[in-house]
């Protein structure tokens, strides 16, 4: 018995195969036929978005008159998608429509993925079987939720981003019916589809996506509205499924990321890579290949050389950084921040596979205050350590154009930048990540924060006030410390948002570090002198960073793996300063980005 389809070579790069699925019902054998056509002249078809899943047990079908075996996930999808009585259903299914053993064909077909899903009349998101009707129950809940939310908004459509959580709460209370609701919702969002990287471009490029499990389906936007309403911690807690690290919560966050992608909020390849790191893939190449279809055609052409499965993934990532930097996208450098130096073959090239499936630090894409220090030219060798310095006269990076070139076959990176400062002292731990511990990172509750959060706070204040000799200096340092802690990077944020933080500062027990503010006039002056951003934004942006003091007395946050003695440069054209580590031979290694007040 044959186990694979028989493929003939496709005539050119715009040719595809579609699958004509014949009618039938259980226990009839699944029967289908592969038809070659051009993408531009293909008959109307539906595209399948699914997880290949386990390859065993192998399930029999008949494809173009040939006995073939496929995995159970695809077999279940085809069984539920075929018409029972009459006619055929035309589908595009990657496992059957692409010759997976022909590397050249795969390299060509992945270039068409974005167009394929844009061309499809419908995209069917197959979540798998539904033996106990839990998915069907979850679908019912979502449809009720969507209907009631729409009726409360009293319009035909609404902006789920500006959704009032009080309205969401009331609707949840109305539709909640004991533990069966929690089970249905949790089990649905534990499905593997929500973690798969390829589904991103499959969904984003779709005209009309629907979600199907077993015999039941709902429009994607209904599930999207429901999941986006759960983006706030308090809603998760109310539902009883807010447990850090659980698969359902992780996948709910992924669904919110999918909404951002569908709303065209992310455009550059670097931004897409960053926002999709929580999704996984079987082949390391797909961390880039699997998302290129999200970009504009001009951007896709720029990175076309990366669409090769026969290229070592480390070389693919190095070429991506090179192309991005040569195009002026210096944000590509932030992807190395969360990787220790020993995990990087080249200090400025990220191992994206190691970052996949993790919650990493939000990039601090800010420019430090103006300064006039010496420019540098830095060279990075194959081991990421060759940075040669020469002095020039220039100003800060703000408004400057990046100066980037590569030498030694792309293994030497040459940048120009402004020397800013040197790290003098850091906290012994990084700021806890609020994604890993519920409520961690909220400054309003510092008195009962977790142990690491409190330790971080007192170490940071110790570093900031160590050299303050009198009351006037303590007040000045306190303002600088507060600005640094809350990322007051442009000195123009809303002062009314400082109240809860200031109240906290004024009521902490003194330990010689916090200034003794005795008069209301001084307290009012401190309030008026502060421009404080949203507290959660500051917490998110500084999670996993060290708080630091430089040799010049500046305060700020530096990337993980920084250490005293590291130097800070503002690379021309970059939105944030970067930390580099001097080497004994006069060279440097890139550590990561930073924020300096």
């Amino acid at each position: 018995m044959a186990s694979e389809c028989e493929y003939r070579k496709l005539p050119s790069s715009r040719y595809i195969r579609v699958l004509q699925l014949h009618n039938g019902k259980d226990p009839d054998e699944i029967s289908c036929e592969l038809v070659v056509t051009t993408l531009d002249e293909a008959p109307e078809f539906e595209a399948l978005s699914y997880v290949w899943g386990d390859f065993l047990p192998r399930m029999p079908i008949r494809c173009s008159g040939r006995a073939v075996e496929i995995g159970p996930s695809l077999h279940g999808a085809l069984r539920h998608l075929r018409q029972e009585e009459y006619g055929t259903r035309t589908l595009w299914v990657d496992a059957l429509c692409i010759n997976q053993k022909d590397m050249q064909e795969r390299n060509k077909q992945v270039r068409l993925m974005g167009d394929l899903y844009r061309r499809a009349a419908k995209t069917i998101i197959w979540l798998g079987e539904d033996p106990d009707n839990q998915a069907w129950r979850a679908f019912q809940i979502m449809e009720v939720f969507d209907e009631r939310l729409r009726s409360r908004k009293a319009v035909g459509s609404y902006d789920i981003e500006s959704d009032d959580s009080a309205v969401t709460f009331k609707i949840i209370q109305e539709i909640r019916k004991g533990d069966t609701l929690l089970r249905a919702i949790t089990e649905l969002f534990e499905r593997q589809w929500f973690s798969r990287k390829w589904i991103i471009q499959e969904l984003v490029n779709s005209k009309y996506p629907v979600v199907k499990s077993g015999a039941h389906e709902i429009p994607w936007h209904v599930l999207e509205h429901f999941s986006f309403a759960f983006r706030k911690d308090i809603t998760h807690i109310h539902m009883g499924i807010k447990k850090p690290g659980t698969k359902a919560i992780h996948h709910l966050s992924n669904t919110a990321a999918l909404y951002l992608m569908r709303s065209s909020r992310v455009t550059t390849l670097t931004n897409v890579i960053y926002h999709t790191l929580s999704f996984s893939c079987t082949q390391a190449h797909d961390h880039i290949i699997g998302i290129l279809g999200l970009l504009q055609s001009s951007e896709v052409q720029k990175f076309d050389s990366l669409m090769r499965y026969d290229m070592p993934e480390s070389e693919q990532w190095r070429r991506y950084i090179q192309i991005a930097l040569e195009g002026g996208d210096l944000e590509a450098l932030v992807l190395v921040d969360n990787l220790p130096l020993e995990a990087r073959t080249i200090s400025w090239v990220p191992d994206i596979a190691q970052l996949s499936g993790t919650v990493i630090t939000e990039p601090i894409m800010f420019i430090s205050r103006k300064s006039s220090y010496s420019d540098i030219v830095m060279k990075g060798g194959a081991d990421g350590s060759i940075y040669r310095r020469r002095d020039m006269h220039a100003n800060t990076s703000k408004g400057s154009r990046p100066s980037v070139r590569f030498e030694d076959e792309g293994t030497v990176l040459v940048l120009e930048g402004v020397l800013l400062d040197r790290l003098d002292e850091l906290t012994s731990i990084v700021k806890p990540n609020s994604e890993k511990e519920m409520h961690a990172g909220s400054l309003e509750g510092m008195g009962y924060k977790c142990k690491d959060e409190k330790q971080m706070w007192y170490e940071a204040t110790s570093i900031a006030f160590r050299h303050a000799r009198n009351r006037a200096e303590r007040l000045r340092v306190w303002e600088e410390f507060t600005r640094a802690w809350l990322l007051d990077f442009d000195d123009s944020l809303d002062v009314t948002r400082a109240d809860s933080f200031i109240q906290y500062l004024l009521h902490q027990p003194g330990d010689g570090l916090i200034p003794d503010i005795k008069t209301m006039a001084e307290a009012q002056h401190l309030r008026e002198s502060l421009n404080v951003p949203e507290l959660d934004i500051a917490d998110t942006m500084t999670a996993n960073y060290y708080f630091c003091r430089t040799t010049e007395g500046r305060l700020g946050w530096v990337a993980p793996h920084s250490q005293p003695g590291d130097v800070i440069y503002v690379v021309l054209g970059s939105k944030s300063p970067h930390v580099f580590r001097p080497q004994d031979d006069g060279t440097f290694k890139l550590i990561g980005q930073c924020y300096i007040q």
Side-chain angles (χ1 to χ4, degrees), residues 457-501:
W457 172 259
Y458 285 109
E459 285 189 17
T461 53
S462 297
I463 289 173
F465 290 96
R466 195 178 310 283
H467 302 287
R469 297 181 181 84
N470 53 51
R471 174 178 171 76
E473 286 189 9
R474 288 199 301 272
L475 283 172
R476 176 186 58 78
V477 172
W478 187 247
E479 292 189 17
E480 292 177 358
F481 170 79
T482 306
R483 292 179 187 278
W485 187 272
L486 296 178
L487 299 178
D488 187 18
F489 66 95
D490 60 2
D491 295 331
S492 63
L493 297 168
D494 188 355
V495 296
T496 62
R497 295 178 177 177
D499 284 348
S500 59
F501 182 65

Side-chain angles (χ1 to χ4, degrees), residues 71 75 129 146 176 183 226 259 277 280 317 331 333 393 417 419 502 515 556 568 587 592:
H75 188 272
E129 299 284 2
D146 193 66
R176 183 174 183 179
R183 179 188 169 196
F226 183 86
Y259 168 76
L277 283 174
S280 60
W317 299 333
E331 292 183 5
L333 294 175
H393 179 70
L419 173 62
I502 296 301
I568 301 171
T587 65

Side-chain angles (χ1 to χ4, degrees), residues 421-434:
D421 214 329
R422 181 182 295 268
L423 295 181
D424 181 52
E425 193 172 2
L426 283 70
T427 51
S428 65
I429 59 173
V430 296
K431 195 167 186 292
N433 193 326
S434 58

Side-chain angles (χ1 to χ4, degrees), residues 510-539:
D511 57 5
L513 300 175
I514 299 176
D516 180 16
I517 303 176
K518 295 180 178 178
T519 69
M520 288 302 294
E522 288 176 336
Q524 184 63 27
H525 169 72
L526 181 56
R527 269 196 195 86
E528 291 174 352
S529 68
L530 293 172
N531 293 312
V532 183
E534 288 283 349
L535 299 182
D536 343 356
I537 295 177
D539 285 341

Side-chain angles (χ1 to χ4, degrees), residues 289-414:
I289 294 177
I291 58 177
L292 281 174
L294 296 169
L295 305 177
Q296 298 292 331
S297 57
S298 58
E299 285 291 296
V300 174
Q301 291 174 7
K302 183 193 303 184
F303 295 101
D304 183 76
S305 62
L306 305 181
M307 294 191 188
R308 288 176 48 192
Y309 285 102
D310 54 347
M311 178 192 301
E313 58 266 24
S314 58
E315 176 62 11
Q316 181 196 48
W317 299 333
R318 189 202 64 76
R319 290 193 189 184
Y320 145 63
I321 296 293
Q322 178 172 347
I323 296 169
L325 295 183
E326 288 177 336
D329 178 18
L330 269 64
E331 292 183 5
L333 294 175
V334 307
L335 292 172
V336 302
D337 281 13
N338 288 263
L339 291 172
L341 282 176
E342 56 269 21
R344 315 178 201 171
T345 305
I346 302 176
S347 71
W348 41 271
V349 177
D351 184 331
I352 301 177
Q354 287 195 44
L355 293 174
S356 176
T358 62
V359 178
I360 70 167
T361 308
E362 185 82 13
I364 299 179
M365 284 303 175
F366 302 147
I367 282 289
S368 68
R369 63 178 58 191
K370 289 187 177 181
S371 58
S372 54
Y373 291 85
S374 298
D375 268 12
I376 61 168
V377 170
M378 300 168 289
K379 292 186 178 181
D383 63 350
S385 63
I386 305 175
Y387 288 89
R388 306 193 188 283
R389 171 178 170 178
R390 62 181 174 84
D391 290 335
M392 297 172 60
H393 179 70
N395 207 321
T396 185
S397 174
K398 190 172 184 180
S400 65
R401 297 176 62 85
S403 175
V404 179
R405 71 176 188 273
F406 292 83
E407 299 177 354
D408 295 348
E409 298 181 349
T411 60
V412 174
L413 169 62
V414 182

Side-chain angles (χ1 to χ4, degrees), residues 57-332:
R58 304 299 286 170
M59 309 294 290
I61 67 169
R62 187 158 293 276
C63 183
S64 298
R66 185 183 179 92
V68 172
E69 292 181 347
I70 59 175
S73 176
L74 179 55
H75 188 272
L78 297 179
R79 187 168 61 85
H80 284 285
L81 289 174
R82 63 181 174 177
Q83 309 284 358
E84 284 195 1
E85 299 295 339
Y86 304 103
T88 62
R89 193 166 187 173
T90 304
L91 305 170
W92 187 86
V93 183
D94 59 356
L96 293 174
C97 295
I98 299 176
N99 183 356
Q100 299 295 329
K101 291 194 171 182
D102 186 335
M103 188 65 69
Q104 287 188 341
E105 180 175 310
R106 285 178 62 192
N107 289 340
K108 291 177 181 178
Q109 291 285 291
V110 293
R111 290 173 165 82
L112 301 177
M113 295 294 280
D115 288 342
L116 272 162
Y117 282 88
R118 280 188 287 268
R119 175 77 170 73
K122 178 194 291 186
T123 296
I124 303 161
I125 297 166
W126 173 249
L127 297 183
E129 299 284 2
D130 187 25
D132 54 2
N133 288 323
Q134 286 300 308
W136 173 70
R137 173 154 176 71
F139 288 169
Q140 287 183 310
I141 294 166
M142 291 175 184
E143 287 177 327
V144 171
F145 179 90
D146 193 66
E147 179 182 347
R148 295 189 182 180
L149 190 57
R150 286 176 180 275
S151 64
R152 289 182 185 277
K153 295 294 183 180
V155 292
S157 61
Y158 56 90
D159 182 2
I160 58 178
E161 286 189 88
S162 60
D163 167 46
D164 183 356
S165 61
V167 173
T168 302
F169 260 17
K170 189 168 181 61
I171 297 173
I172 291 172
Q173 288 174 336
E174 291 172 356
I175 65 175
R176 183 174 183 179
K177 295 179 181 179
D179 293 338
T180 56
L181 167 64
L182 302 182
R183 179 188 169 196
I185 297 299
T186 302
E187 286 188 4
L188 185 77
F189 282 102
E190 285 179 343
R191 303 291 182 103
Q192 190 180 352
W193 183 89
F194 293 98
S195 67
R196 177 174 167 263
K197 182 152 292 191
W198 267 107
I199 62 99
I200 303 170
Q201 70 162 323
E202 294 170 359
L203 174 68
V204 170
N205 290 316
S206 298
K207 292 179 184 176
Y208 178 57
V210 299
V211 185
K212 187 174 182 68
S213 178
H216 304 283
E217 68 179 50
I218 58 170
W220 167 260
H221 73 264
V222 174
L223 182 145
E224 183 177 63
H225 292 170
F226 183 86
S227 62
F228 205 88
F230 285 79
R231 67 194 183 279
K232 299 178 181 178
D233 284 350
I234 191 169
T235 311
H236 293 104
I237 296 166
H238 180 81
M239 290 298 295
I241 58 174
K242 177 58 179 177
K243 296 177 181 178
T246 61
K247 189 183 294 185
I249 296 302
H250 177 72
H251 291 172
L252 276 165
S253 299
N254 282 357
T255 309
L258 290 171
Y259 168 76
L260 296 176
M261 299 291 171
R262 280 168 56 78
S263 304
S264 301
R265 307 292 173 82
V266 216
T267 52
T268 68
L269 180 55
T270 297
N271 277 327
V272 175
I273 289 174
Y274 170 78
H275 284 94
T276 59
L277 283 174
S278 58
F279 294 81
S280 60
C281 51
T282 304
Q283 290 190 269
H285 298 80
D286 288 336
H287 289 296
I288 290 180
I289 294 177
I291 58 177
L292 281 174
L294 296 169
L295 305 177
Q296 298 292 331
S297 57
S298 58
E299 285 291 296
V300 174
Q301 291 174 7
K302 183 193 303 184
F303 295 101
D304 183 76
S305 62
L306 305 181
M307 294 191 188
R308 288 176 48 192
Y309 285 102
D310 54 347
M311 178 192 301
E313 58 266 24
S314 58
E315 176 62 11
Q316 181 196 48
W317 299 333
R318 189 202 64 76
R319 290 193 189 184
Y320 145 63
I321 296 293
Q322 178 172 347
I323 296 169
L325 295 183
E326 288 177 336
D329 178 18
L330 269 64
E331 292 183 5

